[in-house]
Amino acid sequence: MKLSILLPAKNESKGLSLVLPQLKELYPEAEIIVVDDASTDDSIEIAKKYGVNVVAHPYSKGNGAAIKSGLRAAKGDTLVCMDADGQHLPQDIQKLLDKLNSGFDMAVGARNKKGQASIHRGMANKFYNWFASWMVGHNVEDLTSGFRAVRVNKFRKFLTLLPNRFSYPTTITMSFFRAGYSVGYVPIDVQQRLQGTQSHIRIWQDGIRFLLIIFKIGTLFSPLKLFFPISLAFFFTAASYYAYTFFTVGRFTNMSALLFTTSVLIFLMGLISEQITSLIYKETQGLETDI
């Protein structure tokens, strides 16, 4: 089984100088792909210096777009995605591969509390993990980790679903669960970001985007889990308001009728979405032969 290692990079010359020689030493037979997302430093030159495959974007498209470019270029059967900023240890790749080879379709490096960049991001990731776990019905230990090993043929089935920004881990994790693939987690240690480098994630903008992605994938995954609680909330609100107006003015009001109708419409929308979801994923399973 040929191994491909993918590193999306944007102005990560320092990280690449540290990570690439370690990867070349540990995995001399692996295909190493650096996708440069329009860096303004010498990231491309560093990558070429170590003789790895370089895919260069003519302009910045985002982390997810870099993953998609690397996925299209990968020739291996197994793909490892990792950050190029030195936070992920090349030595931990073997842990992911061992997990993958034990019967999983994707192995994800799960960060501990020390691996969170800040308290706010740690709290946000905890919420994302809880919400995703509820949506998929399985324990999601680290929804947004960018360090993972995956079977390429299965990853490519969801290529068109991946966003171009920083939410690709969220999308692919929930998509794998929806398709019934096995996802496993491996505890990893995350290193401090190298001095002189900075995160490209904007907490508020990308935090809201992450949340929207979860809702988007949630509606693709199991729409009724989103629509039914909302429908139920409208129903109980309508029932409560009807009880109030019945005992106060002795009649059924237009507002109660509107709330009951809204409850039914939302529930029906959930049922329709559930059917559409089944059709989408049925078609997605056939994409492998077309890519």
Side-chain angles (χ1 to χ4, degrees):
M1 300 292 286
K2 185 176 181 180
L3 174 64
S4 296
I5 302 175
L6 170 59
L7 299 93
K10 182 176 181 180
N11 298 328
E12 299 288 3
S13 58
K14 291 185 178 180
L16 291 173
S17 298
L18 174 67
V19 174
L20 290 181
Q22 297 181 50
L23 291 176
K24 296 287 287 186
E25 180 180 356
L26 291 172
Y27 302 96
E29 302 299 324
E31 175 191 39
I32 302 175
I33 305 171
V34 173
V35 181
D36 183 79
D37 194 37
S39 296
T40 56
D41 63 1
D42 56 347
S43 294
I44 292 181
E45 287 71 20
I46 295 295
K48 291 181 177 179
K49 173 184 174 181
Y50 289 100
V52 303
N53 296 344
V54 178
V55 178
H57 287 173
Y59 56 89
S60 181
K61 301 178 182 181
N63 180 264
I67 292 293
K68 289 192 279 189
S69 295
L71 183 59
R72 293 188 183 100
K75 298 177 181 178
D77 304 295
T78 301
L79 180 70
V80 171
C81 300
M82 62 185 299
D83 291 348
D85 56 10
Q87 292 193 92
H88 297 151
L89 294 174
Q91 295 87 339
D92 286 338
I93 290 178
Q94 191 57 50
K95 297 179 182 179
L96 298 180
L97 296 179
D98 291 341
K99 189 72 172 180
L100 202 67
N101 293 329
S102 66
F104 289 88
D105 299 302
M106 180 164 64
V108 182
R111 298 162 293 182
N112 52 30
K113 292 182 179 180
K114 294 181 180 179
Q116 303 296 336
S118 66
I119 295 178
H120 296 91
R121 192 177 298 180
M123 293 175 62
N125 285 336
K126 188 174 182 180
F127 170 75
Y128 298 150
N129 295 340
W130 169 81
F131 186 79
S133 298
W134 175 70
M135 287 298 304
V136 302
H138 297 278
N139 183 34
V140 178
E141 296 183 25
D142 196 339
L143 182 65
T144 60
S145 173
F147 192 26
R148 55 189 63 214
V150 61
R151 304 295 184 192
V152 171
N153 62 338
K154 293 180 172 63
F155 198 174
R156 282 181 174 152
K157 293 180 181 181
F158 306 101
L159 185 67
T160 57
L161 294 180
L162 300 181
N164 288 338
R165 302 298 297 175
F166 288 99
S167 326
Y168 101 85
T170 303
T171 303
I172 196 60
T173 298
M174 298 187 73
S175 295
F176 260 53
F177 276 117
R178 175 61 178 83
Y181 292 136
S182 301
V183 180
Y185 291 88
V186 178
I188 60 168
D189 293 321
V190 178
Q191 306 303 300
Q192 293 293 324
R193 187 177 297 275
L194 293 176
Q195 187 175 4
T197 64
Q198 59 180 1
S199 173
H200 301 293
I201 295 180
R202 297 164 297 178
I203 294 178
W204 289 109
Q205 294 92 328
D206 289 313
I208 294 174
R209 187 178 292 112
F210 278 136
L211 192 59
L212 291 177
I213 286 292
I214 292 176
F215 278 103
K216 177 183 176 181
I217 300 302
T219 55
L220 285 175
F221 177 82
S222 183
L224 272 180
K225 279 202 171 183
L226 286 178
F227 284 96
F228 184 68
I230 297 174
S231 173
L232 207 59
F234 272 95
F235 178 82
F236 281 118
T237 302
S240 299
Y241 189 75
Y242 171 58
Y244 169 75
T245 56
F246 179 80
F247 286 109
T248 55
V249 295
R251 62 189 180 90
F252 183 76
T253 64
N254 291 335
M255 178 59 71
S256 296
L258 178 62
L259 290 172
F260 276 120
T261 303
T262 302
S263 173
V264 173
L265 289 176
I266 292 175
F267 179 72
L268 293 177
M269 288 172 60
L271 287 179
I272 295 172
S273 299
E274 196 78 24
Q275 299 303 316
I276 294 174
T277 297
S278 299
L279 292 175
I280 290 175
Y281 274 88
K282 183 178 180 180
E283 294 177 359
T284 301
Q285 300 308 303
L287 289 178
E288 179 183 358
T289 56
D290 300 330
I291 296 179

